[in-house]
Amino acid sequence: GENVEQHPSTLSVQEGDSAVIKCTYSDSASNYFPWYKQELGKRPQLIIDIRSNVGEKKDQRIAVTLNKTAKHFSLHITETQPEDSAVYFCAASNQAGTALIFGKGTTLSVSS
Amino acid sequence: DGGITQSPKYLFRKEGQNVTLSCEQNLNHDAMYWYRQDPGQGLRLIYYSQIVNDFQKGDIAEGYSVSREKKESFPLTVTSAQKNPTAFYLCASSIRVGSTEAFFGQGTRLTVV
């Protein structure tokens, strides 16, 4: 089945720096790639997503890039703030297009 | 927080007992999912349902069962056959299966003693 690898597992940055989280997926049939943010004790919430017909998408300080050939996609957060501290999950649609398969998560810590 | 509701938030059960976790949504979504979250393991898919009266096994279905008798409801039963049931369980729903945004409930933390 689909497998999603996410790196790094932990990431510490200074406020104002950029943060990059990378994911690879195994199934070339995957066509939807969302990113979720989970703050401590809360539910995961979608922050940005990208479909396979697009190479890059931006939303203010957040951007996602997709390389279909290499089967990897990345989350870029610029000008990080302490409130960006959370666990971030990437996901990819499975081969049948019936569910999302998640990476293991990245714990981002932004220190001021 | 409306939309998708899980109950209870915390659940304690004795080993060997079956337990059912509730998940209800009022978003009129066709698809519903159950994920298990363990530290360092991410979210692993247990079961999903595309429509009423239909459900499919995910990657870690052993020891779990589900039903989908109503569009709004997708309860998960953790049976005594599940070897390590203590975990955080998340229910989600989406307009349709797979390639659309999934909305998550607040989760149920199950502890088996």
Side-chain angles (χ1 to χ4, degrees):
Chain A
E2 173 71 286
N3 185 47
V4 178
E5 299 282 342
Q6 182 172 349
H7 299 280
S9 57
T10 60
L11 180 59
S12 295
V13 299
Q14 292 287 320
E15 183 177 1
D17 288 349
S18 295
V20 180
I21 303 171
K22 298 181 179 182
C23 289
T24 59
Y25 59 98
S26 59
D27 195 331
S28 55
S30 295
N31 61 8
Y32 178 62
F33 308 92
W35 286 88
Y36 284 81
K37 175 183 180 181
Q38 186 178 29
E39 297 177 358
L40 192 62
K42 296 189 176 182
R43 72 187 78 191
Q45 292 195 300
L46 181 75
I47 54 171
I48 195 166
D49 57 9
I50 192 167
R51 297 192 180 275
S52 58
N53 58 348
V54 176
E56 183 177 1
K57 185 177 179 180
K58 280 186 178 181
D59 183 2
Q60 299 182 334
R61 296 186 297 109
I62 294 173
V64 57
T65 58
L66 172 65
N67 183 327
K68 286 189 296 181
T69 303
K71 290 190 282 188
H72 66 71
F73 57 112
S74 301
L75 178 71
H76 305 254
I77 306 174
T78 59
E79 300 172 18
T80 54
Q81 301 167 2
E83 50 265 40
D84 293 330
S85 297
V87 179
Y88 291 81
F89 294 98
C90 64
S93 53
N94 65 357
Q95 183 180 38
T98 52
L100 294 174
I101 305 303
F102 285 80
K104 293 188 176 181
T106 296
T107 300
L108 173 65
S109 299
V110 181
S111 53
S112 55
Chain B
D1 291 331
I4 181 162
T5 303
Q6 289 184 243
S7 60
K9 190 172 183 180
Y10 299 97
L11 191 55
F12 295 87
R13 279 294 182 270
K14 290 184 178 179
E15 193 172 342
Q17 290 182 334
N18 291 355
V19 60
T20 298
L21 282 59
S22 171
C23 179
E24 303 276 334
Q25 54 99 358
N26 62 3
L27 301 168
N28 199 33
H29 285 172
D30 284 329
M32 297 187 75
Y33 314 84
W34 275 105
Y35 288 91
R36 170 177 171 145
Q37 186 174 19
D38 296 285
Q41 293 295 317
L43 281 66
R44 292 183 290 169
L45 183 65
I46 304 173
Y47 268 98
Y48 63 95
S49 169
Q50 302 183 52
I51 56 172
V52 173
N53 293 323
D54 175 79
F55 49 84
Q56 305 294 329
K57 292 182 179 180
D59 297 323
I60 57 165
E62 185 176 352
Y64 300 97
S65 66
V66 294
S67 63
R68 187 86 186 277
E69 297 177 0
K70 298 187 299 181
K71 187 175 186 176
E72 302 79 18
S73 179
F74 191 40
L76 173 74
T77 297
V78 185
T79 74
S80 57
Q82 168 51 230
K83 298 283 187 266
N84 185 19
T86 294
F88 188 57
Y89 291 88
L90 283 162
C91 180
S93 70
S94 61
I95 292 174
R96 57 184 183 278
V97 291
S99 303
T100 59
E101 179 180 358
F103 293 83
F104 284 86
Q106 292 180 302
T108 293
R109 185 165 299 281
L110 172 64
T111 302
V112 176
V113 296

